[in-house]
Amino acid sequence: MLPKIEFLPSSEIKAFQQEKLSQQLHLLNGKSPFYKELFRKNHIDISRIKTLEDLANIPVTTKDDLQKHNDDFICVPRNRIIDYITTSGTLGDPVTFAMTDSDLDRLAYNEAISFAVADGSTDDTYQLMTTIDRRFMAGLAYFLGVRRLGAGIIRVGNGMPELQWDSIRRFHPNVFITVPSFILKLIEYAEEKGIDYRSSSIKKAVCIGEPLRNPDFSLTTLSRRISEKWDIQLYSTYASTEMGTAFTECRYGCGGHHHPELIIVEFLDENDEPVKPDEPGEVTITTLGVEGMPLLRFKTGDVCYHYNEPCRCGRTTMRLGPVLGRKQQMIKYKGTTLYPPALYDILDNIDNIVNYYVEVYTNAIGTDEIVIHIGSRLESEAFEKQIKDHFRARLRVAPQIIFEPAGYIEKTVNPEGGRKTVRFIDRRNK
């Protein structure tokens, strides 16, 4: 389950991708109403796009394009669509993705080789702690990937600490697939109920949705708190519905590994120009091997560093650094540029904070304002000052703090029927 291409010289990987790109362009020109029109309108002769560098001659695709022209991206007749998926709609209206039988096979292969990057094998049993329904791609992808890997899986779903621990007791899984902050809730539940979690069968966790590492690959406060409590191996992953591909860490924890069979990746600045190797850029992807809704130069909105030197695990593929933040969520606050993960890392490091969410709005003079809503065991001016002092020490600025009942915060952060934790609420004037 270890693709040979991930260990080849970069020149051979590039040649492979350029051949696949040519095939993808012909598919788009023949079957995608959106891209056929884009090529016509911009006088693009796809036969002249021969190298990865030539991609710069094609305009980028944005989330706005997907929302406005959703059906025009579909490249297959309706009777070939097997599964309908929607994005979470975190940054706008959800987008529908139509997947063929071949696309589901591709999704399974992607997750299988991603689990293999994270030392997965047929000897593992995974406890799936994300939803597999609600039109959600991730839960389905993980199930299909574990099945393709030949390992065992327990489909518990999200939440429900009592059922999670019952499943661990009954089936003895050794791997979680989960949002990492939920591991802390499992630990808290175990401590309350007298469960000896450190002696359980769990040895590692494939973590989704929240960063485990800072840009220098050191542990975030969240992952450090987990590791201090429970000696399990944590693997970070990054993926999105649009790319249908995951970037997963190996045991050395220095970035998510690129699967060049499945996706071409560029890193672009605000002018859609490639960034330098030591600069962060917006992750921009071209899918390979997708039938239903292939994408070309799609800007994900996520800003990352990338690394091209070989990894200690032997892979020669590009590695994707931790997500600094989403471009649309960038905050300009009192002259300082911030992304929400920087705020989360500070809050996760302060004792007596039970939960929180970050709200951003446009103030009377047209600039960004930050309010942090906190559920806490303490509510005092002294504790508020302590929180603000943490922010000043790390970021040089301190946002407004509002204490709220922890139960209210929980309902906001994990809304009923929601698919993802909501820690950031953007109320700025668009």
Side-chain angles (χ1 to χ4, degrees):
M1 195 52 71
L2 298 177
K4 181 180 177 182
I5 190 173
E6 298 186 9
F7 299 86
L8 294 178
S10 57
S11 59
E12 293 186 39
I13 294 174
K14 182 178 181 180
F16 170 87
Q17 288 208 310
Q18 288 175 167
E19 181 180 345
K20 291 295 183 182
L21 173 62
S22 177
Q23 297 171 10
Q24 188 77 341
L25 290 171
H26 281 87
L27 169 69
L28 293 171
N29 194 44
K31 296 186 176 182
S32 171
F34 178 85
Y35 286 112
K36 187 173 184 178
E37 175 61 15
L38 182 142
F39 296 153
R40 185 199 63 78
K41 186 169 62 176
N42 291 278
H43 309 290
I44 294 170
D45 179 358
I46 61 169
S47 67
R48 300 177 67 88
I49 308 297
K50 298 184 181 298
T51 68
L52 299 187
E53 290 77 15
D54 291 341
L55 279 170
N57 296 313
I58 301 175
V60 297
T61 301
T62 66
K63 291 180 184 287
D64 190 49
D65 292 324
L66 280 176
Q67 288 164 346
K68 287 181 178 178
H69 310 285
N70 201 169
D71 288 350
D72 288 341
F73 283 87
I74 298 176
C75 294
V76 295
R78 188 178 182 88
N79 63 7
R80 289 202 56 211
I81 298 171
I82 298 297
D83 196 55
Y84 290 92
I85 289 166
T86 57
T87 59
S88 59
T90 306
L91 299 177
D93 291 335
V95 171
T96 298
F97 272 80
M99 303 194 73
T100 67
D101 198 51
S102 175
D103 291 336
L104 292 176
D105 285 342
R106 177 189 178 279
L107 193 62
Y109 176 72
N110 161 71
E111 290 299 341
I113 61 176
S114 296
F115 286 131
V117 170
D119 299 316
S121 75
T122 56
D123 295 329
D124 290 319
T125 301
Y126 291 80
Q127 184 149 317
L128 179 58
M129 301 156 78
T130 67
T131 183
I132 199 169
D133 55 3
R134 302 176 195 167
R135 308 189 308 232
F136 193 37
M137 175 184 275
L140 173 65
Y142 300 135
F143 173 75
L144 294 174
V146 171
R147 182 171 179 266
R148 178 74 177 264
L149 182 66
I153 191 164
I154 306 157
R155 294 176 290 108
V156 184
N158 57 353
M160 306 174 292
E162 182 178 1
L163 184 58
Q164 304 291 353
W165 279 113
D166 179 71
S167 299
I168 294 167
R169 179 181 62 82
R170 287 176 182 272
F171 307 117
H172 309 291
N174 64 316
V175 194
F176 285 152
I177 303 173
T178 185
V179 175
S181 57
F182 187 62
I183 299 176
L184 288 177
K185 293 188 177 182
L186 286 180
I187 293 171
E188 183 178 350
Y189 181 90
E191 290 176 341
E192 289 175 357
K193 302 297 182 180
I195 297 171
D196 184 7
Y197 59 91
R198 294 187 183 92
S199 298
S200 73
S201 56
I202 299 298
K203 302 301 178 187
K204 52 188 178 180
V206 176
C207 296
I208 65 171
E210 296 169 339
L212 292 179
R213 301 187 187 280
N214 297 308
D216 64 356
F217 299 121
S218 62
L219 296 179
T220 62
T221 300
L222 171 61
S223 52
R224 193 167 63 248
R225 286 176 62 192
I226 295 169
S227 299
E228 288 168 355
K229 286 277 190 177
W230 200 353
D231 184 22
I232 57 177
Q233 178 75 46
L234 303 176
Y235 297 89
S236 181
T237 68
Y238 164 75
S240 71
T241 301
E242 294 91 347
M243 67 176 66
T245 310
F247 294 78
T248 303
E249 283 184 340
C250 68
R251 70 186 69 181
Y252 297 105
C254 53
H257 285 282
H258 175 211
H259 300 312
E261 298 167 277
L262 302 177
I263 198 167
I264 295 169
V265 191
E266 302 171 82
F267 298 88
L268 304 180
D269 63 17
E270 292 184 356
N271 299 314
D272 298 334
E273 296 291 333
V275 298
K276 296 176 181 177
D278 59 347
E279 294 178 343
E282 185 172 356
V283 181
T284 302
I285 59 97
T286 295
T287 56
L288 299 175
V290 172
E291 286 186 337
M293 280 186 62
L295 295 177
L296 177 65
R297 303 202 79 208
F298 174 74
K299 300 188 77 174
T300 64
D302 295 321
V303 178
C304 298
Y305 287 96
H306 69 287
Y307 306 88
N308 293 317
E309 62 272 15
C311 179
R312 282 184 286 168
C313 71
R315 290 177 177 83
T316 55
T317 49
M318 179 271 294
R319 288 173 289 116
L320 192 73
V323 176
L324 302 179
R326 288 195 158 180
K327 187 177 178 182
Q328 286 180 258
Q329 293 180 343
M330 185 176 72
I331 306 164
K332 292 280 191 178
Y333 185 59
K334 298 181 180 179
T336 300
T337 298
L338 304 170
Y339 288 102
L343 306 177
Y344 306 158
D345 195 54
I346 293 171
L347 292 163
D348 288 338
N349 201 32
I350 300 174
D351 291 337
N352 293 311
I353 290 181
V354 177
N355 49 19
Y356 60 85
Y357 68 88
V358 176
E359 178 186 4
V360 181
Y361 66 92
T362 305
N363 60 25
I365 60 173
T367 60
D368 293 347
E369 199 69 44
I370 304 173
V371 180
I372 299 181
H373 300 257
I374 292 176
S376 171
R377 299 182 183 90
L378 296 175
E379 293 187 19
S380 66
E381 289 185 8
F383 187 46
E384 180 180 341
K385 180 179 182 301
Q386 179 188 340
I387 295 170
K388 289 186 174 183
D389 286 346
H390 277 279
F391 278 99
R392 290 189 185 99
R394 293 274 296 275
L395 303 177
R396 304 189 304 277
V397 292
Q400 180 184 352
I401 304 296
I402 295 179
F403 292 111
E404 310 263 19
Y408 168 78
I409 299 286
E410 178 63 24
K411 289 180 181 178
T412 303
V413 171
N414 293 300
E416 186 176 352
R419 301 190 323 199
K420 289 186 177 181
T421 298
V422 179
R423 295 198 188 279
F424 183 78
I425 297 177
D426 194 342
R427 305 191 192 280
R428 289 176 289 188
N429 299 336
K430 302 301 181 183

